[in-house]
């Protein structure tokens, strides 16, 4: 009889798993980063083509809050951008400053960014995300990151294809 609370709590946690899983939505995929400009001093050259995987947590989708989170991973390197109040996504064809950045590579850091900082990473989406082959579950995104890797004057082109994952 003393195991009844344990069994009840396990049963309740199993029954609520689908609700928790549906509460947050994210997209996963991959692509590449290339066309580095002003990054030579930091080890990135213009001809580098770096394959990567990516995860995006869209703002306001499912149970997600109003923060858009973009993470890219290349080997042992991880780079994360955060945009507050981004429900509906980022606008295309203009520069948008990130509100926070984190990276893990040869070093690690997380920074909430001050406005108008000379190293604030900014994103420029070339056009609105395009759905692939009339498949509303996959999307292609092309853009540029300025002050990439939290490095002043370093920019790179990023191309991603992502799909929603349960």
């Amino acid at each position: 009889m003393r195991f009844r609370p344990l069994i009840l709590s396990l049963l309740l946690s199993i029954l609520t798993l689908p609700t928790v899983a549906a509460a947050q939505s994210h997209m996963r995929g991959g692509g590449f980063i290339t066309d580095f400009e002003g990054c030579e001093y930091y080890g990135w050259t213009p001809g580098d083509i770096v394959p990567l995987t990516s995860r995006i947590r869209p703002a306001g989708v499912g149970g997600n809050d109003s923060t858009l989170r973009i993470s890219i991973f290349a080997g042992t390197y991880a780079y994360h951008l955060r945009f507050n109040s981004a429900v509906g996504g980022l606008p295309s064809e203009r520069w948008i400053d990130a509100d926070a950045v984190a990276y893990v590579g040869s070093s690690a850091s997380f920074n909430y960014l001050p406005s108008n900082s000379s190293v604030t990473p900014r994103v420029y989406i070339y056009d609105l995300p395009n759905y692939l082959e009339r498949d509303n579950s996959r999307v292609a995104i092309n853009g540029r990151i300025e002050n990439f890797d939290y490095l002043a004057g370093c920019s790179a082109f990023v191309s991603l294809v992502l799909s929603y994952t349960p």
Side-chain angles (χ1 to χ4, degrees):
M1 292 280 192
R2 64 183 232 208
F3 293 108
R4 186 171 281 165
L6 176 63
I7 292 171
L8 182 59
S9 66
L10 285 172
L11 180 60
L12 287 174
S13 66
I14 290 170
L15 291 175
T16 59
L17 277 177
T19 305
V20 172
Q24 293 185 352
S25 296
H26 65 274
M27 302 178 83
R28 288 187 184 174
F32 61 91
I33 189 165
T34 190
D35 192 28
F36 294 91
E37 294 179 3
C39 308
E40 293 82 4
Y41 178 78
Y42 307 108
W44 306 99
T45 62
D48 288 345
I49 299 173
V50 180
L52 52 90
T53 57
S54 182
R55 180 173 186 249
I56 294 180
R57 187 167 166 226
V61 175
N64 295 352
D65 61 16
S66 63
T67 303
L68 168 67
R69 294 170 175 89
I70 301 172
S71 301
I72 60 174
F73 310 94
T76 59
Y77 175 81
Y79 187 63
H80 175 79
L81 295 170
R82 176 181 169 155
F83 300 88
N84 298 334
S85 304
V87 174
L90 298 177
S92 63
E93 315 264 336
R94 70 178 200 163
W95 289 104
I96 304 298
D97 289 354
D99 293 301
V101 63
Y103 54 90
V104 176
S106 58
S107 64
S109 178
F110 177 82
N111 297 300
Y112 284 104
L113 303 171
S115 296
N116 302 320
S117 167
S118 65
V119 292
T120 298
R122 304 182 328 151
V123 173
Y124 186 96
I125 305 297
Y126 285 111
D127 48 29
L128 294 176
N130 298 311
Y131 289 105
L132 301 175
E133 302 286 327
R134 297 179 300 277
D135 177 357
N136 290 339
S137 65
R138 294 183 300 155
V139 66
I141 301 172
N142 294 309
R144 191 151 199 91
I145 301 175
E146 188 174 81
N147 297 325
F148 173 71
D149 208 14
Y150 206 51
L151 303 170
C154 175
S155 70
F157 173 81
V158 179
S159 183
L160 301 172
V161 174
L162 304 123
S163 62
Y164 278 101
T165 56

